[in-house]
Amino acid sequence: MKKDRFSFVCLEAESGHDAFVNNATVGEEGRVLECAMQHIVVETIKGDHRCWDYHDCEEVSRRKEEWPYR
């Protein structure tokens, strides 16, 4: 993910909007909870929390039907 998209995703999450990222390296995606330095803390669909380097992530969009636990 590029730095400007990382900033946008972080602002969306901080504003209370849903933002989602995919980490192809580990094969998971999640809803962004917070950002710190160059890392994104996410909640996976299974409810697990992960911390990923933003360079390993890509922004994704999800409809409510695809993320029922928010």
Side-chain angles (χ1 to χ4, degrees):
M1 175 183 306
K2 293 183 179 180
K3 180 72 173 174
D4 63 326
R5 294 314 296 171
F6 169 66
S7 297
F8 173 77
V9 166
C10 293
L11 287 173
E12 285 292 295
E14 290 171 7
S15 298
H17 299 109
D18 289 334
F20 298 91
V21 294
N22 178 10
N23 184 326
T25 305
V26 296
E28 289 186 302
E29 65 181 52
R31 182 174 57 92
V32 178
L33 300 175
E34 63 180 311
C35 300
M37 304 287 289
Q38 294 189 0
H39 292 87
I40 301 172
V41 178
V42 302
E43 178 182 19
T44 67
I45 197 158
K46 293 180 181 178
D48 299 324
H49 289 185
R50 304 274 190 257
C51 181
W52 298 327
D53 186 300
Y54 84 87
H55 295 100
D56 297 331
C57 298
E58 288 299 324
E59 179 184 6
V60 294
S61 60
R62 291 285 176 238
R63 296 185 318 269
K64 186 175 183 177
E65 299 80 31
E66 295 176 295
W67 192 265
Y69 302 107
R70 41 181 165 159

